[in-house]
């Protein structure tokens, strides 16, 4: 660059700096693993998934309840989830009844049987819902619009 004029060097330095900023912003997004697909400006998101319950998959209620999905309200207002659904890639679904998620609160939806509380809901299934190796959890509102999805596969773990 020493043979370039001063204005040309400044332009080249500016272009290189801009390129570095673009790369610095783009790399973290690409390193995410590709599993998240948030819809913008939605009040509720899938925040965590435990698709593979620890231990042996013996279909006991304890093992079924160790498989869960957490959803989080990101707003300062309670959100009514009545009519919302949580689905897997095969179309199995859980439909929320009269449930409100507290402001900035989190609900854990377990696969097995149990007594619903303010923070834990139970699907009352006798078999696993989520595929341990690869699946997609889709949260839809009462109108069927996708609010959030979370996908996992062996290459994204």
């Amino acid at each position: 660059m020493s043979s370039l004029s001063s204005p040309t060097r400044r332009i080249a330095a500016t272009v290189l700096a801009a390129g570095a900023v673009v790369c610095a912003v783009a790399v973290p997004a690409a390193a995410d693993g590709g599993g998240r697909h948030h819809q913008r400006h939605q009040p509720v998101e899938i925040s965590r998934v435990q698709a593979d319950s620890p231990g042996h998959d013996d279909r006991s209620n304890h093992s079924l309840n160790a498989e869960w999905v957490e959803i989080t309200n990101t707003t300062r207002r309670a959100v009514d989830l009545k009519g919302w659904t949580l689905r897997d890639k095969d179309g199995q679904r859980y439909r929320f009844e009269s449930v409100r998620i507290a402001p900035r609160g989190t609900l854990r939806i377990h696969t097995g049987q149990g007594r619903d509380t303010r923070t834990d809901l139970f699907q009352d299934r006798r078999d696993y819902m989520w595929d341990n190796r690869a699946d997609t959890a889709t949260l839809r509102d009462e109108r069927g619009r996708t609010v959030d999805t979370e996908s996992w596969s062996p290459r994204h773990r």
Side-chain angles (χ1 to χ4, degrees):
M1 263 204 238
S2 60
S3 64
L4 298 175
S5 68
S6 180
T8 304
R9 279 195 301 257
R10 273 187 254 138
I11 291 171
T14 302
V15 168
L16 289 172
V21 169
V22 168
C23 287
V25 170
V27 169
D32 176 35
R36 304 289 308 175
H37 301 288
H38 287 294
Q39 304 296 319
R40 292 187 185 270
H41 308 296
Q42 290 297 332
V44 179
E45 66 182 26
I46 297 171
S47 49
R48 289 179 60 200
V49 175
Q50 175 67 45
D52 188 1
S53 61
H56 183 66
D57 287 347
D58 59 7
R59 291 191 183 144
S60 68
N61 197 50
H62 176 76
S63 180
L64 290 167
N65 282 332
E67 177 184 90
W68 45 260
V69 172
E70 283 184 351
I71 61 172
T72 300
N73 178 356
T74 63
T75 72
R76 293 181 185 163
R77 295 179 317 217
V79 175
D80 185 1
L81 299 178
K82 185 175 183 177
W84 288 41
T85 59
L86 184 62
R87 295 178 188 252
D88 73 351
K89 70 178 178 190
D90 295 326
Q92 296 183 91
R93 84 178 169 147
Y94 171 74
R95 184 178 178 90
F96 294 88
E97 297 301 324
S98 296
V99 176
R100 293 178 68 79
I101 186 169
R104 307 240 189 256
T106 296
L107 281 175
R108 184 175 280 188
I109 300 91
H110 302 270
T111 300
Q113 299 176 340
R115 197 177 100 243
D116 292 346
T117 68
R118 291 181 326 184
T119 57
D120 292 273
L121 301 176
F122 297 85
Q123 297 186 53
D124 296 329
R125 294 179 179 274
R126 296 183 188 272
D127 200 0
Y128 298 97
M129 180 166 177
W130 308 109
D131 188 303
N132 294 351
R133 294 182 43 78
D135 209 336
T136 299
T138 302
L139 181 65
R140 293 192 174 132
D141 68 14
E142 73 283 358
R143 293 184 180 152
R145 296 176 298 203
T146 298
V147 174
D148 196 14
T149 62
E150 175 74 23
S151 297
W152 57 94
S153 66
R155 62 188 162 101
H156 287 125
R157 288 193 137 179

